[in-house]
């Protein structure tokens, strides 16, 4: 029997390895976690959000990026791959490997990712000074949760009515209907939940 001690990786080692890796990994405090492949519903929801945000951000000082762009959260020594991220400000170089100043982050959650998205990532992302909104979109039922930064702290909003609820994105002054977020998505149960 052989026992090997695994040492934590530095952020630099992680980034170098990630450039050569066949699959994506997230990095938290020296540990690397392989990411599972997304299902069709997940990709449809993320694509809907990306497209709607891209239309609004086009021609502005904002950039919408998909799940291939990492976000660095220095306060917790982490690199994550959000499903959709929006940043506004001066353009970045084309070789940029990660963002540090998003204003909106969206994670499309499933049963296997919901706990990490709702706990670990929520706490980590809230340390980003630039972040105004963190949005969780359920890939199995119509549930959108928005966490918004306000002077008094973070506020929470639950959206689950596709006919009347609208997700307001402060970064680009946009209101997205829940119906548009889930457009074309075949959910296991189309009924809203409490």
């Amino acid at each position: 029997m052989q026992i090997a001690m695994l040492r934590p990786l530095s952020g630099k080692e992680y980034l170098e390895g990630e450039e050569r890796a066949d699959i994506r990994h997230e990095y938290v405090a020296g540990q690397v976690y392989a990411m599972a492949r997304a299902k069709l519903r997940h990709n449809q929801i993320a694509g809907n959000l990306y497209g709607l945000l891209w239309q609004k951000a086009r021609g502005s000082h904002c950039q919408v990026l998909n799940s291939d762009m990492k976000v660095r959260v220095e306060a917790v020594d982490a690199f994550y791959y959000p499903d959709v991220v929006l940043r506004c400000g001066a353009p970045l170089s084309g070789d940029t490997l990660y963002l540090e100043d998003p204003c909106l982050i969206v994670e499309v959650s499933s049963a296997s990712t919901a706990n990490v998205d709702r706990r670990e990532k929520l706490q980590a992302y809230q340390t980003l000074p630039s972040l105004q909104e963190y949005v969780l979109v359920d890939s199995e039922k119509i549930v959108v949760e928005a966490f918004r930064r306000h002077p008094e702290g973070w506020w929470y909003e639950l959206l689950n009515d596709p006919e009347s609820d609208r997700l307001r994105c402060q970064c680009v002054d946009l209101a997205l209907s829940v119906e548009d977020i889930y457009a074309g998505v075949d959910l296991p149960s189309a009924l809203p939940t409490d």
Side-chain angles (χ1 to χ4, degrees):
M1 178 170 154
Q2 292 183 333
I3 298 175
M5 182 176 159
L6 296 177
R7 68 172 180 78
L9 291 179
S10 70
K12 182 178 183 220
E13 290 169 317
Y14 159 74
L15 290 171
E16 289 170 354
E18 198 66 359
E19 286 295 297
R20 297 185 305 272
D22 292 333
I23 61 170
R24 294 179 305 157
H25 303 83
E26 291 187 326
Y27 170 93
V28 181
Q31 302 302 312
V32 176
Y33 303 92
M35 296 183 64
R37 302 269 184 225
K39 294 181 180 173
L40 176 62
R41 283 190 303 268
H42 179 110
N43 282 310
Q44 289 173 314
I45 294 166
N48 287 346
L49 284 159
Y50 178 89
L52 293 164
L53 287 166
W54 181 85
Q55 286 177 342
K56 179 66 177 182
R58 185 177 177 200
S60 74
H61 66 289
C62 297
Q63 299 167 293
V64 181
L65 302 153
N66 66 19
S67 61
D68 285 331
M69 179 54 72
K70 293 177 281 303
V71 169
R72 179 178 184 219
V73 185
E74 185 176 8
V76 295
D77 189 23
F79 289 90
Y80 296 115
Y81 282 97
D83 291 306
V84 180
V85 63
L86 175 71
R87 78 168 291 276
C88 297
L92 297 172
S93 147
D95 331 352
T96 299
L97 294 175
Y98 57 86
L99 302 176
E100 295 184 278
D101 60 349
C103 64
L104 168 69
I105 292 177
V106 179
E107 293 284 4
V108 179
S109 292
S110 65
S112 64
T113 64
N115 284 336
V116 171
D117 292 341
R118 187 168 284 105
R119 293 182 186 144
E120 174 190 320
K121 290 184 179 182
L122 171 62
Q123 290 180 359
Y125 289 147
Q126 286 178 336
T127 69
L128 293 168
S130 63
L131 191 69
Q132 295 178 29
E133 295 155 302
Y134 176 52
V135 177
L136 294 173
V137 181
D138 197 305
S139 66
E140 297 168 8
K141 57 188 177 288
I142 297 175
V143 175
V144 178
E145 298 174 277
F147 300 85
R148 286 196 186 80
R149 185 185 303 269
H150 287 272
E152 305 83 24
W154 286 85
W155 290 8
Y156 172 82
E157 181 180 16
L158 174 66
L159 308 164
N160 61 6
D161 183 344
E163 294 179 16
S164 64
D165 284 345
R166 298 181 73 73
L167 174 66
R168 286 167 178 66
C169 302
Q170 297 168 336
C171 295
V172 289
D173 189 28
L174 176 64
L176 305 173
S177 74
V178 170
E179 183 177 33
D180 285 345
I181 292 170
Y182 286 96
V185 179
D186 182 23
L187 296 171
S189 171
L191 298 175
T193 62
D194 295 331

